[in-house]
Amino acid sequence: MPAPQIPPIDHCNTPSEQASHSGRWRIPLVLMITMYIGYLDRMNISLALPLIAEEMQWSLSDKQYYGGLLMSCFYMAYGLANLFLTPLAARLGPRRSLLIIIVLWSIFTSLGAVFSHILLLFIASRILLGLSEGTHVPMMNQLTKNWFEDRERSRATGIWMAGLFMAILTGPLLLVPVMHHLGWRSGFHLLAIAGLVLSLPLVYFMVKDHPPEASDQHAFENNSAQQRSALWQVLRSPAYIAAQCMGIFNNMLAVGISNWTPSYLASRPDVEYSDLAYLNTIPYLFSLIALAFFTWLGDKTSRRSRNAAICFFLGGLTLFLSFNQASLFVTMMGFTLGVCCITAFTACEHPIVQTLFPPHLVAQGSGIFNGTAMILGGGLGTFLIGQLMADSNSQVNIWPLFFLCIAASISGMFLHRFTRF
């Protein structure tokens, strides 16, 4: 007997209301810029880590422990902010919340460089950075739900998600030369200025919470008991559980690999630190192309979870072949294909969440989804993969990464069985 199909829960503005606002496509473009700078703020530590370890005279075990701690504490705080601060941000509204968090994350990025000589304060700055960035994605999901109908959401989400890949792609090209010649702290200060000069005015002048015709409040929203009941109904559904498992496994892979790839490559005898400016960009250049393809394919076929499940399996195979290779070309080829495959879920992750929850609960639902995925995936996954990828001179045990890909693939097939998107 076939599994029951869960139709998308979609009570947003009618297509005619949304389509009447041609200027709405500027919103994901602005969000893409905020995503770009915000993601550079979180990934700067991975690019600076080889220089930090050298300055602090850390051993390999020190680099694994302290580097993993600096990265993981961000993601743990980021996940907790998703879970517990998103309801407050939802009450303030997406635009106002974005303005506040851009100011905060710029401040804490700069403070991380100022207080880096004291490890506890450096860690505290990463925790505060994670807390300040935590509601960013839920607010962008809410704006996407408010302004775009289901058949457009993969593309709209793909635009602002492109900021993530552009950050990983261009971050080494921008930050590695700056950190190499001016010191790694200068890269932190540069990003803090960029957030205040670029992201803040763009959000202030070009982002609105919802179309003018849309009601700012739903009568249903005022009943907290009904809100909790509707939220719990989605959270206990098989579709959400499968999607959440995919999100956790994906973050363990994507976040862990992206954070530790610079250290892994820099530790190879045939790679200089300055080489990271182009080596670390190669996988994500092709991933940006893959993101555009998978967002189009998702809107075209409405088989997003099935596509992601197949690609997770293929990604596991390519990653399996890329590690412990004497040839740098083979390693980079495997990394590139593996990351491109994982991008299939990145392209559909947030549209699936936007579709599962009613309009007024998208921010809270996204916060729960993203927070759980970051705490269990981004936080623990970054620390785990750091034990595998901190140094290429030790033989990398690829089996844990391969099994994570298989687990994500199985979760995707379950999600495809329980949903029709």
Side-chain angles (χ1 to χ4, degrees), residues 52-356:
I52 295 173
E54 182 180 354
E55 178 184 308
M56 302 293 187
Q57 297 183 334
W58 287 343
S59 64
L60 172 60
S61 60
D62 290 336
K63 183 169 69 170
Q64 288 176 315
Y65 180 76
Y66 293 122
L69 187 60
L70 285 167
M71 294 180 195
S72 295
C73 68
F74 168 87
Y75 289 107
M76 296 297 285
Y78 181 90
L80 291 172
N82 270 266
L83 290 171
F84 298 110
L85 297 183
T86 297
L88 173 61
R91 285 195 291 271
L92 291 175
R95 177 178 175 272
R96 188 181 301 173
S97 296
L98 287 175
L99 293 173
I100 293 172
I101 65 178
I102 288 170
V103 172
L104 291 177
W105 86 44
S106 298
I107 292 173
F108 296 137
T109 297
S110 188
L111 288 179
V114 172
F115 294 110
S116 59
H117 293 290
I118 304 174
L119 186 59
L120 287 178
L121 292 181
F122 196 9
I123 293 172
S125 74
R126 300 301 296 180
I127 293 173
L128 291 171
L129 179 64
L131 291 173
S132 64
E133 287 198 19
T135 59
H136 189 200
V137 169
M139 293 304 100
M140 293 192 292
N141 272 317
Q142 185 66 67
L143 286 168
T144 306
K145 179 80 169 190
N146 290 350
W147 283 92
F148 297 92
E149 56 185 298
D150 180 64
R151 63 184 177 87
E152 298 174 319
R153 284 192 200 125
S154 285
R155 281 166 289 169
T157 304
I159 291 173
W160 54 259
M161 281 299 296
L164 182 156
F165 289 94
M166 290 174 62
I168 301 176
L169 173 64
T170 64
L173 296 173
L174 295 174
L175 296 178
V176 167
V178 171
M179 292 179 176
H180 183 60
H181 295 291
L182 301 178
W184 65 266
R185 293 175 182 84
S186 60
F188 283 52
H189 295 309
L190 178 65
L191 292 175
I193 294 170
L196 297 175
V197 172
L198 292 178
S199 297
L200 195 66
L202 284 173
V203 172
Y204 183 83
F205 289 108
M206 301 185 70
V207 173
K208 304 295 180 185
D209 284 345
H210 49 72
E213 297 89 345
S215 172
D216 193 25
Q217 295 289 334
H218 298 270
F220 183 70
E221 290 186 57
N222 297 324
N223 189 322
S224 59
Q226 286 183 318
Q227 274 194 347
R228 289 193 296 270
S229 176
L231 188 63
W232 177 242
Q233 182 179 3
V234 177
L235 295 179
R236 68 181 183 180
S237 68
Y240 177 82
I241 294 171
Q244 184 69 84
C245 289
M246 284 190 82
I248 292 170
F249 296 136
N250 174 73
N251 277 357
M252 294 183 76
L253 289 161
V255 175
I257 290 173
S258 67
N259 277 331
W260 284 102
T261 295
S263 291
Y264 178 80
L265 292 175
S267 65
R268 287 181 61 105
D270 52 353
V271 174
E272 299 291 336
Y273 176 77
S274 57
D275 295 337
L276 297 181
Y278 71 91
L279 284 179
N280 204 61
T281 64
I282 292 173
Y284 299 99
L285 171 62
F286 290 95
S287 292
L288 194 58
I289 300 171
L291 178 68
F293 171 74
F294 286 123
T295 53
W296 170 84
L297 185 66
D299 283 341
K300 183 73 173 179
T301 65
S302 293
R303 294 294 182 266
R304 302 175 179 96
S305 54
R306 183 187 62 184
N307 297 338
I310 294 171
C311 287
F312 268 126
F313 177 76
L314 296 176
L317 292 178
T318 56
L319 288 173
F320 186 88
L321 298 174
S322 65
F323 285 92
N324 302 325
Q325 295 290 336
S327 169
L328 180 61
F329 175 81
V330 174
T331 296
M332 294 306 302
M333 180 69 70
F335 273 8
T336 300
L337 292 175
V339 172
C340 284
C341 289
I342 294 173
T343 304
F345 179 72
T346 307
C348 71
E349 177 180 15
H350 296 294
I352 288 173
V353 174
Q354 294 160 16
T355 306
L356 284 173

